[in-house]
Amino acid sequence: GDAFTSERMVNVLKDSRFFKDLDAAVLETLPKHAKFLNVPNGAVLFRQGDPAKGCYIIVSGKVGFYAGGNSNTPRQPPTEMNETIPEAARRVHTYEGFSTFSKVSDYGQCVKKSGTGEVFGELALMDGGAVPRKATARCLDESELLFVSAEGFEEVKKYVKELEMQKREFLVSCLPGMKDVKKVAGHSSGNCFHQERHPQGTLLLRQGLSEERV
């Protein structure tokens, strides 16, 4: 049922490198933006240059990523049902629907292969989906994938942004001078801190000496 599917989605998200550190409340909102896909060997999810519709987690199977190849053929229309051409040359839509492919499509060079638990397609969503796909994604085995839509990914980004803001507000309120620390190149004031362990009696600071970190 739906409850079982949602629970399984949350478990898949928890096991993935990209989503595992999210708050449970955020993870539980993602199933409404997600769905499981059973994709046959050879199927293409998206092609290089396509807009981004979402990101994927590999539940089982393997996906290859290709760059280069013929950049004109992805924009050709799908083959009509009554059109008489060799089976291998028949064009069908990719999963995301922005382009087409056939069994003899030229995808270019395989630059990477990903397996169970890995996330892909998220980079094109970082700027609201404005960045075109950098590579073609094609299943190398019969694969099960968890697809998370661009809308769901925006929920994650919103959560991370709010968390970053809360962390900065905490530092400003609790630590004098932190309000003057500027955010540079995507880093926050929280990046100024790290944890270290020292044995009892270790000298950390000495009067009159300047240290960059403690």
Side-chain angles (χ1 to χ4, degrees):
D2 290 343
F4 173 77
T5 301
S6 294
E7 184 180 353
R8 184 170 177 242
M9 285 178 175
V10 170
N11 287 334
V12 169
L13 291 162
K14 283 180 180 176
D15 288 340
S16 72
R17 169 188 54 80
F18 191 84
F19 293 98
K20 67 179 181 179
D21 293 326
L22 290 176
D23 189 90
V26 178
L27 287 174
E28 287 167 7
T29 67
L30 286 179
K32 66 182 178 182
H33 299 290
K35 57 184 170 181
F36 285 112
L37 308 174
N38 290 300
V39 188
N41 181 15
V44 176
L45 299 159
F46 52 79
R47 296 196 68 169
Q48 187 175 0
D50 284 354
K53 197 171 185 177
C55 64
Y56 304 79
I57 303 171
I58 304 174
V59 182
S60 64
K62 187 178 292 184
V63 177
F65 301 93
Y66 302 78
N70 191 327
S71 60
N72 297 318
T73 59
R75 312 304 156 213
Q76 292 179 2
T79 306
E80 298 289 341
M81 289 295 293
N82 57 359
E83 201 171 336
T84 306
I85 63 170
E87 183 64 27
R90 295 188 71 85
R91 305 193 67 78
V92 296
H93 275 121
T94 59
Y95 167 72
E96 293 195 350
F98 296 115
S99 55
T100 61
F101 70 98
S102 73
K103 291 181 179 178
V104 292
S105 287
D106 176 15
Y107 306 115
Q109 182 179 359
C110 183
V111 294
K112 183 183 178 183
K113 295 178 183 179
S114 293
T116 301
E118 295 192 65
V119 178
F120 65 92
E122 78 284 4
L123 294 179
L125 298 172
M126 291 299 186
D127 292 322
V131 179
R133 298 292 194 187
K134 299 294 185 186
T136 294
R138 177 173 175 263
C139 289
L140 302 179
D141 287 321
E142 185 173 330
S143 303
E144 184 182 16
L145 310 172
L146 179 60
F147 171 77
V148 179
S149 70
E151 293 77 15
F153 196 81
E154 283 300 312
E155 292 284 324
V156 173
K157 285 168 60 180
K158 182 180 175 183
Y159 163 76
V160 172
K161 188 175 181 180
E162 288 176 353
L163 193 65
E164 188 75 13
M165 190 177 298
Q166 289 172 11
K167 184 170 70 172
R168 184 170 178 81
E169 287 174 355
F170 168 78
L171 290 170
V172 168
S173 64
C174 297
L175 299 170
M178 287 311 297
K179 64 178 182 297
D180 300 320
V181 177
K182 295 180 180 179
K183 188 174 181 180
V184 180
H187 296 287
S188 75
S189 51
N191 299 122
C192 298
F193 298 91
H194 65 281
Q195 185 177 25
E196 293 183 354
R197 291 183 180 275
H198 298 279
Q200 184 176 356
T202 299
L203 179 65
L204 298 176
L205 284 176
R206 179 178 294 167
Q207 185 176 359
L209 293 180
S210 174
E211 293 290 344
E212 290 186 359
R213 66 180 196 178
V214 294

